[in-house]
Amino acid sequence: MTVRVVVADDQEIVRTGLTMILNSQPDIQVVGEAANGHRAVELARHLRPDVCLFDIRMPGLDGIEATRALAGPEVPDPIAVVVITTFDLDEYVYAALRAGARGFLLKDAGTAMLAQAVHAAAVGDALIAPSVTARLLRTFAAGGPAGTAQPADPLTDREEQVLAAVASGRTNGEIAAELFITLSTVKTHITSLMTKIPARNRVEIAMWAYETNRVRR
């Protein structure tokens, strides 16, 4: 199955490069390109791609607001969004995750990571890169007061283990191998975590883990 993608970046050379990389993958097709957030939202609503890849900083409507418009809490039929940025825009990345993004990449991410992020978003398995996302989440969690939110029901020991693994950037396959459980069992635990916390996706699971100091430095 081909994953259909809309790419939005105000820099033509970056936009063209991302499109070329994605189109070089046998199962990914860029179906639309936009140079600003307004056009990106318009295209996404018209084309209904599987995934949107948005730059954070764009004229008119930035990537954060574009993400919120397509994937925010109030959107009845959200579209998967992955944001892409540079390392010095941490605060914007965090805001984008809050707006509903399923993950994010740095602009110097390699071809394999870019393809992985798109595929992950397409199936609802948001990419949490250990070297990037977890570090940023820790930074922002450490910058504010300790979280006090508790789950609706206590987490089991296994759910605590899965929670820590998700927050550390493990994929479902890596969690299964690490904990010696099946992939379907991992998915069951993640579904349970989303219900108990509650969270809409694994990005929010990771943020909750850091904000409530369940995962420490």
Side-chain angles (χ1 to χ4, degrees), residues 61-115:
L61 191 72
D62 64 24
I64 297 170
E65 291 305 317
T67 297
R68 185 173 289 112
L70 297 173
E74 305 304 319
V75 179
D77 188 16
I79 297 174
V81 178
V82 173
V83 296
I84 186 164
T85 186
T86 51
F87 190 69
D88 61 350
L89 299 177
D90 296 359
E91 66 273 19
Y92 297 109
V93 174
Y94 190 76
L97 295 178
R98 279 298 191 198
R102 288 188 180 173
F104 70 89
L105 296 172
L106 301 181
K107 285 192 175 180
D108 61 359
T111 299
M113 182 65 74
L114 181 61

Side-chain angles (χ1 to χ4, degrees), residues 22 25 28 82 105 110-123 125-130 169-171 174:
L22 292 174
Q25 303 299 306
I28 297 177
V82 173
L105 296 172
T111 299
M113 182 65 74
L114 181 61
Q116 182 184 353
V118 168
H119 283 299
V123 298
D125 188 14
L127 181 71
I128 307 288
R170 304 290 195 274
T171 65
E174 290 170 339

Side-chain angles (χ1 to χ4, degrees), residues 31-50:
V31 296
E33 296 180 42
N36 60 70
H38 286 295
R39 178 58 177 161
V41 171
E42 182 181 73
L43 271 179
R45 286 175 173 167
H46 175 66
L47 298 173
R48 298 296 303 181
D50 300 300

